């Protein structure tokens, strides 16, 4: 039994049922029944057209379930709609699922979970383990999302930017348990890039590849965070970097700049530098200027302050930082870093300790605590 084949066919079969009139929740149940039947039948009697077989069986399962609660008239109408035997169309309907899963009525967390379930083909248990929540909690989240989009009929699907935002959220979850969400996000984005010709889709794929290429060097043997400047660049995946840069260059050549392309350009400049000291910080500042113009995001301006501090000196960075709200995530950590670079070690140590208390993750908290301890030891 080829589990990868079943997984790859699932989104397309589900989209066919939804397009033919099945609501999302009922369609998914029918497809799951068809997959169970495939596991039972295919080892001894493999179909010549796997997708057509799954569509036919899933549609019949859907009709069986519908008949139990429908009137005779409705049953007869639906029986007339049953697809004829034979090969199913080769059109890939997966793209429709991306936009349904990014429906504007869904919260970002629900959209991410539904994308992983319907398009990624992950089980509810796998998604729950990846998010470190109980399976029952994730099942409720997915069920609510399915109820929300049931009957939508693609009249108000999410736009491309919403779909990309969902995939970016999946990527930023990283990995845990038995599901690598960063790798899963790359797989889903590759699938989307193959289905839609859009420079921002390419930009997001390039950004993911360039960040993922550094993954092996981001943590030490004990799991501690390793800052970009201290990473072993020999452990970076040069093949993945080359692929990401190539995809980015092709997207930028179309002269339709978007935020993911600009972020990927920053990542490419980091990847291109043989050492941290050789990083082209002046060009990175220029890309952050472009990105700030596209998004007007305070987080982008915070990152720009760091780049200015590297390009023009820490005091220039601190001047940029002073114009931003100190309530921004990681604002205190950036201030600590720039003060350390400016030689004000007592202030830097105090700010590192303060930033540790605000850290969003245990790994960041431990890293910032170690930075504070290091400076305090030097001050004794």
């Amino acid at each position: 039994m080829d589990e990868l084949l079943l997984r790859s066919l699932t989104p397309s079969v589900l989209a066919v049922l939804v397009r033919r009139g099945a609501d999302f929740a009922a369609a998914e149940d029918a497809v799951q029944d068809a997959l169970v039947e495939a596991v039972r039948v295919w080892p001894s009697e493999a179909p010549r057209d796997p997708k057509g077989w799954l569509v036919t069986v899933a549609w019949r399962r859907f009709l069986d379930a519908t008949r139990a609660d429908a009137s005779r008239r409705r049953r007869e109408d639906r029986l007339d709609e049953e697809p004829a035997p034979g090969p199913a169309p080769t059109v890939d309907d997966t793209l429709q699922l991306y936009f349904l899963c990014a429906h504007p009525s869904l919260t970002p967390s629900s959209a991410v979970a539904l994308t992983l379930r319907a398009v990624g083909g992950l089980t509810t248990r796998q998604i729950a383990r990846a998010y470190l929540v109980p399976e029952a909690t994730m099942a409720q989240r997915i069920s609510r999302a399915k109820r929300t989009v049931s009957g939508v009929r693609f009249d108000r699907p999410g736009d491309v930017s919403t779909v990309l935002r969902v995939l970016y959220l999946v990527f930023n979850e990283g990995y845990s348990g038995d599901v690598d969400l960063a790798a899963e996000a790359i797989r889903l984005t590759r699938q989307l890039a193959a289905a839609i010709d859009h420079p921002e889709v390419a930009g997001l794929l390039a950004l993911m590849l360039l960040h993922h290429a550094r993954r092996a060097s981001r943590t030490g043997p004990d799991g501690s965070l390793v800052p970009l400047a201290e990473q072993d660049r020999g452990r970076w995946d040069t093949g993945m970097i080359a692929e990401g840069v190539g995809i980015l260059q092709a997207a930028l050549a179309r002269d339709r700049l978007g935020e993911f392309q600009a972020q990927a350009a920053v990542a490419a400049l980091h990847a291109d530098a043989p050492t941290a000291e050789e990083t082209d910080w002046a060009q990175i500042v220029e890309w952050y200027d472009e990105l700030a113009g596209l998004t007007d995001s305070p987080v982008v301006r915070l990152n720009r302050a760091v780049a200015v501090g590297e390009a023009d000196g820490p005091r220039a960075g601190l001047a940029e930082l002073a114009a931003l709200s100190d309530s921004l995530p990681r604002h205190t950590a950036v201030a600590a870093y720039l003060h350390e670079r400016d030689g004000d070690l007592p202030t830097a140590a105090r700010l590192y300790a303060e930033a540790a208390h605000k850290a969003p993750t245990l790994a960041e908290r431990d890293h910032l605590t170690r930075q504070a301890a290091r400076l305090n030891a030097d001050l004794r």
Side-chain angles (χ1 to χ4, degrees):
M1 171 57 59
D2 191 338
E3 293 184 8
L4 288 178
L5 174 61
L6 285 176
R7 179 175 173 179
S8 67
L9 289 174
T10 297
S12 185
V13 174
L14 180 56
V16 171
L17 266 65
V18 172
R19 190 178 60 190
R20 286 176 174 171
D23 69 68
F24 196 92
E28 188 180 40
D29 289 341
V31 172
Q32 292 302 314
D33 287 345
L35 293 176
V36 171
E37 186 68 7
V39 171
R40 186 182 70 82
V41 172
W42 285 11
S44 59
E45 191 178 344
R48 277 190 274 183
D49 176 23
K51 178 182 174 181
W53 190 97
L54 286 170
V55 168
T56 299
V57 172
W59 185 254
R60 286 172 178 163
R61 292 291 190 275
F62 167 70
L63 291 180
D64 289 343
T66 302
R67 281 192 208 102
D69 300 316
S71 66
R72 181 178 299 275
R73 174 70 177 272
R74 186 57 179 162
R75 293 201 305 269
E76 292 172 353
D77 289 344
R78 283 200 177 275
L79 280 170
D80 290 339
E81 295 170 5
E82 184 172 340
T90 57
V91 177
D92 185 0
D93 298 300
T94 305
L95 186 58
Q96 287 182 311
L97 285 184
Y98 278 102
F99 288 90
L100 180 62
C101 293
H103 193 268
S105 62
L106 292 175
T107 64
S109 61
S110 293
V112 168
L114 193 58
T115 299
L116 290 171
R117 183 72 181 89
V119 187
L122 302 185
T123 66
T124 302
R125 176 174 295 181
Q126 287 176 315
I127 301 171
R129 286 179 178 173
Y131 278 86
L132 303 178
V133 300
E135 184 176 353
T137 300
M138 185 56 66
Q140 290 174 354
R141 184 181 302 175
I142 294 173
S143 295
R144 284 195 299 269
K146 289 193 290 186
R147 285 196 299 270
T148 299
V149 299
S150 291
V152 166
R153 306 289 189 253
F154 303 105
D155 58 335
R156 287 179 60 234
D159 58 15
V160 173
S161 63
T162 306
V163 174
L164 295 181
R165 187 67 54 199
V166 168
L167 292 173
Y168 190 47
L169 288 171
V170 175
F171 181 79
N172 284 337
E173 287 296 330
Y175 67 98
S176 59
D178 61 351
V179 179
D180 184 338
L181 289 182
E184 183 65 15
I186 292 173
R187 186 185 75 83
L188 294 172
T189 307
R190 284 190 189 280
Q191 196 177 70
L192 185 62
I196 183 171
D197 183 22
H198 194 292
E200 273 292 82
V201 177
L204 178 59
L205 179 57
L207 176 63
M208 289 178 175
L209 292 171
L210 289 165
H211 278 306
H212 207 55
R214 303 200 301 262
R215 173 173 165 173
S217 63
R218 282 203 184 103
T219 55
D222 60 353
S224 60
L225 288 181
V226 179
L228 176 61
E230 300 173 19
Q231 289 176 13
D232 179 0
R233 298 183 180 223
R235 300 183 67 195
W236 289 2
D237 188 329
T238 55
M240 193 175 291
I241 290 173
E243 182 186 5
V245 169
I247 292 171
L248 173 63
Q249 288 175 337
L252 292 174
R254 300 177 64 174
D255 199 23
R256 289 170 54 195
L257 184 64
E259 61 175 297
F260 290 118
Q261 295 169 74
Q263 287 189 57
V266 171
L269 286 168
H270 283 299
D272 187 54
T275 65
E277 293 72 25
E278 295 173 86
T279 303
D280 190 343
W281 286 106
Q283 194 171 351
I284 288 176
V285 172
E286 291 178 5
W287 275 112
Y288 273 126
D289 287 338
E290 294 279 0
L291 192 54
L294 289 167
T295 66
D296 195 29
S297 165
V299 174
V300 169
R301 296 189 183 279
L302 182 68
N303 291 333
R304 182 183 179 278
V306 176
V308 169
E310 297 289 354
D312 301 328
R315 293 193 180 182
L318 286 167
E320 295 288 335
L321 191 64
L324 302 174
S325 170
D326 59 7
S327 64
L328 280 172
R330 300 184 175 87
H331 182 285
T332 307
V334 170
Y337 172 74
L338 291 173
H339 277 290
E340 180 183 0
R341 289 213 44 229
D342 193 39
D344 186 354
L345 301 189
T347 299
R350 174 178 59 79
L351 290 173
Y352 275 130
E354 184 180 330
H357 288 292
K358 301 177 181 178
T361 67
L362 180 61
E364 286 186 53
R365 188 192 72 187
D366 290 346
H367 171 71
L368 293 167
T369 300
R370 282 194 295 272
Q371 296 295 84
R374 173 178 57 81
L375 293 186
N376 284 325
D378 291 341
L379 290 169
R380 292 194 185 114

